[in-house]
Amino acid sequence: MDSNWATRRRAQRMRVVAMVILCLAALAGIGAWEAWVRKAYGNAEVIDVSVFTLASTGAVFVGPDTTKIIWRNNRLDQKSIGADPWQSPIQALESDLTRFPAWRDNRDIVGNPAYDLVSWVETVDEKRGDVLVVEASTGHVLARAAIQAALNRTVVIASVNPETVYFATPDPRTGFPDVPGDTIWIWRWAAGEDPENLQSSRYYNDVSAGTWAVYGDGLEFEDAPNQTVATVGITDDYPTDFGSSMSPDGAYWYGAGSGKIIETATGNMVTIPTVSKHDYGWTGAAELTVTQPFSVCSARTGQCHSPPEVSPNGACARYAIVCGANPPVN
């Protein structure tokens, strides 16, 4: 990573766009959805957070004005669990709402709302280091693996679970709406294996928990590479970025262009109400949080509702920049 790029990314991270606060609340009936981001009013603690994700025990984010990776739970207990993650050498698109890199493009730290796990690529002397699996609440490194790709390759983490991490190492000049299969790696970290290259000539849209999404004759879902279980004709969508569509357990896929949530095993779909430009993230196994309109939507029914009020200063959504919504957690 050259020094100019590193300087640009640091400047982007440090840029003050809005005063935001990380308010963690245990929400009855919402499951693992605990992270809230809203404007700070009154005497609330002010945090400028641009990189964060969600685990079952709380939120994980890069501390403002520091190089620390912080875990914080719903009681506001927090601890440093690592150093600043390596930044992929690609300029992430800005969110239309926050002007920070959009959640769907920001894969610097990837968690899973069902497990106490996060994954990132460590920084070593401002260069790319190993890919890690970390216990979010303790910072204990459960596994690490060398990335078997040239240093000028980006790393896009698609998903992490108790058995496997999926990531890709595409050419950073191409971006990553889809990535070629020969750049995708399957790391069965719990078995102590090294990352295995997929070695496929196809282009993949996403992968999570052994479910694959690929654009072919429409959108195809596979339970293993080249083993199709469902095909959906998609004509009114645009390719979402690699790693940002699939739910944490691979049961659902979200297309931001059309607002369609598709059940990967059957191809059945529901459509949720959105405007053309919005941010989104999976905040539960079957819960998608979207903005514009700000709501939590069920992948099973397509029904959406506004989140509960947690702010002492009124409805969280009233003051929200991206209140209650989280970055990709799959």
Side-chain angles (χ1 to χ4, degrees):
M1 181 189 307
D2 61 52
S3 58
N4 289 336
W5 168 253
T7 299
R8 288 198 303 271
R9 287 306 298 262
R10 290 192 189 98
Q12 181 185 53
R13 173 171 293 170
M14 297 300 295
R15 183 178 44 170
V16 178
V17 178
M19 302 290 277
V20 297
I21 180 173
L22 186 67
C23 300
L24 293 147
L27 303 178
I30 302 296
W33 181 33
E34 298 174 287
W36 292 73
V37 179
R38 67 170 182 85
K39 275 187 178 180
Y41 282 84
N43 296 320
E45 177 186 359
V46 174
I47 303 178
D48 180 17
V49 177
S50 61
V51 178
F52 70 111
T53 192
L54 186 65
S56 62
T57 56
V60 179
F61 60 95
V62 175
D65 305 324
T66 75
T67 60
K68 295 180 179 179
I69 299 173
I70 306 296
W71 167 85
R72 197 171 192 180
N73 69 9
N74 61 352
R75 297 182 299 275
L76 304 186
D77 302 324
Q78 72 176 47
K79 65 179 66 176
S80 173
I81 63 170
D84 197 15
W86 178 77
Q87 303 277 307
S88 291
I90 185 170
Q91 193 76 21
L93 298 177
E94 291 181 336
S95 163
D96 291 312
L97 299 177
T98 67
R99 313 316 304 173
F100 283 129
W103 305 328
R104 58 185 179 272
D105 300 314
N106 192 337
R107 313 298 295 175
D108 296 332
I109 305 174
V110 175
N112 189 317
Y115 304 103
D116 190 23
L117 297 173
V118 289
S119 182
W120 68 77
V121 176
E122 66 180 357
T123 301
V124 178
D125 296 329
E126 297 192 351
K127 293 182 173 61
R128 194 189 71 205
D130 295 342
V131 59
L132 309 179
V133 176
V134 178
E135 188 175 50
S137 60
T138 66
H140 178 60
V141 177
L142 301 173
R144 67 169 57 237
I147 298 168
Q148 302 171 44
L151 283 174
N152 64 351
R153 287 288 181 137
T154 190
V155 178
V156 187
I157 299 172
S159 59
V160 57
N161 63 44
E163 291 82 33
T164 309
V165 171
Y166 300 92
F167 65 93
T169 55
D171 186 331
R173 295 171 297 180
T174 63
F176 43 88
D178 299 322
V179 299
D182 60 5
T183 71
I184 295 178
W185 300 82
I186 306 168
W187 179 27
R188 298 178 181 88
W189 67 269
E193 299 178 7
D194 292 330
E196 175 187 353
N197 185 247
L198 183 60
Q199 297 183 342
S200 171
S201 60
R202 306 171 75 194
Y203 276 73
Y204 288 83
N205 169 262
D206 208 346
V207 55
S208 186
T211 300
W212 300 76
V214 58
Y215 284 105
D217 295 329
L219 180 64
E220 299 176 8
F221 298 107
E222 302 172 344
D223 58 8
N226 300 313
Q227 296 184 24
T228 301
V229 294
T231 301
V232 179
I234 294 288
T235 58
D236 56 350
D237 218 326
Y238 55 81
T240 53
D241 292 298
F242 177 78
S244 69
S245 300
M246 200 85 74
S247 65
D249 61 1
Y252 299 97
W253 181 94
Y254 176 62
S258 63
K260 288 184 171 64
I261 300 177
I262 302 173
E263 187 176 24
T264 59
T266 64
N268 295 334
M269 67 180 70
V270 295
T271 302
I272 62 173
T274 63
V275 300
S276 59
K277 293 182 178 180
H278 62 282
D279 288 338
Y280 59 90
W282 288 98
T283 49
E287 290 176 347
L288 183 77
T289 296
V290 299
T291 59
Q292 307 284 41
F294 174 58
S295 53
V296 183
C297 301
S298 167
R300 298 185 180 96
T301 67
Q303 298 298 308
C304 301
H305 64 272
S306 297
E309 297 180 8
V310 298
S311 168
N313 301 300
C316 185
R318 176 181 174 187
Y319 301 118
I321 300 173
V322 280
C323 173
N326 293 283
V329 293
N330 56 310

